Amino acid sequence: MKKNIVLFHFIFLLVSILPLSAQTFGEADLERLIMNHKMMENYDKKTGHFKNTPYELKNVLELKAKNASKTIEIKKIDLQEKEKSNAAIIQDIDDEESFWGDIYNLSQRKKQLEFEINKNIELISSNGDPGYSKLYPIINKMCNDIFTSLYSKDKIILNKLPRYPSRKPELNGYDLHRFWHHPSPDCLELYLKQASIIGLMFPRYNQTIIYQRIGDNNEKN
């Protein structure tokens, strides 16, 4: 399911965004456009995530190691802050602007480390999965790139159906060839029930077919 969600989102957005009040029709192979997008270079088929993005699947052991390192750095900052506090009490500060600037920088660095640790803890609790909220901005950006090249106010863009693997049709020996030579309603009914699967065996099953009656303006007589 996770591996197909990117394509599902694209199909949904294509149907809902492209104009429906057009006068002419065009066809787009959305699957090909997606696969050729530069972002797909980062797509990991095994995990369904995008590498080098916020939607990258993280290694839990690496996250724990990073948190351990950040925790050590926070302890060092605590020690530095304590030393600075003692110095402010018992020593004369020659350059107060620089002194308090250092304290501020230490405080900000500590906050950043704590924030990163908390983010890593969330990822660890989800086995390194950042969640779909990190996926949506990536899909939106890719959609904008693709739809900009397709958009036309005078045209409806129809998407080719994506190909997908299917199981072998279960005809129990009653295929169309047998029906042709030995007509039987039962054979035909069985064949028609498997028609959607049988259609996937033909190379051009996803070709768009548009039918429009000449002079049909959708007006009621």
Side-chain angles (χ1 to χ4, degrees):
M1 180 64 180
K2 182 184 290 294
K3 296 179 182 179
N4 294 325
I5 193 167
V6 175
L7 186 58
F8 292 159
H9 279 291
F10 273 111
I11 293 173
F12 172 78
L13 288 172
L14 181 68
V15 172
S16 61
I17 292 178
L18 293 181
L20 297 177
S21 59
Q23 298 177 352
T24 59
F25 294 89
E27 183 180 71
D29 189 342
L30 182 59
E31 184 177 16
R32 179 183 61 81
L33 292 172
I34 294 172
M35 294 304 150
N36 289 338
H37 193 282
K38 60 183 180 181
M39 178 57 71
M40 293 305 295
E41 296 176 1
N42 297 322
Y43 186 66
D44 186 350
K45 294 181 180 179
K46 294 181 179 179
T47 65
H49 289 73
F50 287 90
K51 299 178 181 178
N52 306 313
T53 73
Y55 191 62
E56 181 176 16
L57 187 65
K58 299 294 186 179
N59 184 295
V60 173
L61 294 179
E62 291 180 0
L63 292 174
K64 291 180 178 180
K66 287 180 179 180
N67 274 7
S69 177
K70 295 178 189 297
T71 300
I72 292 174
E73 186 175 352
I74 287 177
K75 290 181 179 179
K76 291 181 179 179
I77 290 176
D78 288 338
L79 181 59
Q80 289 177 293
E81 287 180 331
K82 184 176 180 180
E83 292 174 348
K84 292 280 187 182
S85 298
N86 292 336
I89 296 174
I90 63 177
Q91 297 179 8
D92 293 330
I93 308 301
D94 296 330
D95 187 348
E96 290 194 4
E97 183 177 353
S98 177
F99 177 84
W100 293 111
D102 290 343
I103 292 179
Y104 174 80
N105 290 336
L106 288 172
S107 176
Q108 291 301 108
R109 176 57 181 166
K110 182 177 177 180
K111 289 180 180 179
Q112 179 62 31
L113 289 170
E114 290 172 342
F115 174 76
E116 293 173 358
I117 287 174
N118 288 332
K119 283 182 59 178
N120 288 345
I121 290 174
E122 291 180 3
L123 285 171
I124 292 171
S125 65
S126 62
N127 294 320
D129 190 335
Y132 290 140
S133 62
K134 302 297 183 181
L135 172 63
Y136 298 143
I138 297 174
I139 292 179
N140 287 338
K141 175 63 170 60
M142 294 176 69
C143 284
N144 288 335
D145 294 341
I146 293 172
F147 295 156
T148 297
S149 64
L150 295 178
Y151 175 77
S152 172
K153 64 183 180 64
D154 298 320
K155 184 179 292 186
I156 292 177
I157 304 297
L158 301 176
N159 176 49
K160 277 191 170 187
L161 295 174
R163 295 181 178 274
Y164 57 90
S166 65
R167 57 182 173 81
K168 182 180 178 181
E170 300 174 359
L171 298 174
N172 300 323
Y174 294 94
D175 56 16
L176 187 60
H177 180 271
R178 180 165 181 173
F179 170 78
W180 187 261
H181 293 283
H182 305 282
S184 167
D186 293 337
C187 290
L188 181 59
E189 182 178 356
L190 181 61
Y191 182 84
L192 292 176
K193 285 181 178 179
Q194 302 290 318
S196 60
I197 300 174
I198 294 171
L200 299 177
M201 299 169 61
F202 298 91
R204 302 187 70 180
Y205 81 92
N206 64 338
Q207 185 176 11
T208 302
I209 299 175
I210 301 174
Y211 170 74
Q212 184 175 3
R213 290 182 297 181
I214 298 176
D216 184 3
N217 57 6
N218 295 326
E219 293 182 356
K220 294 183 178 180
N221 294 326

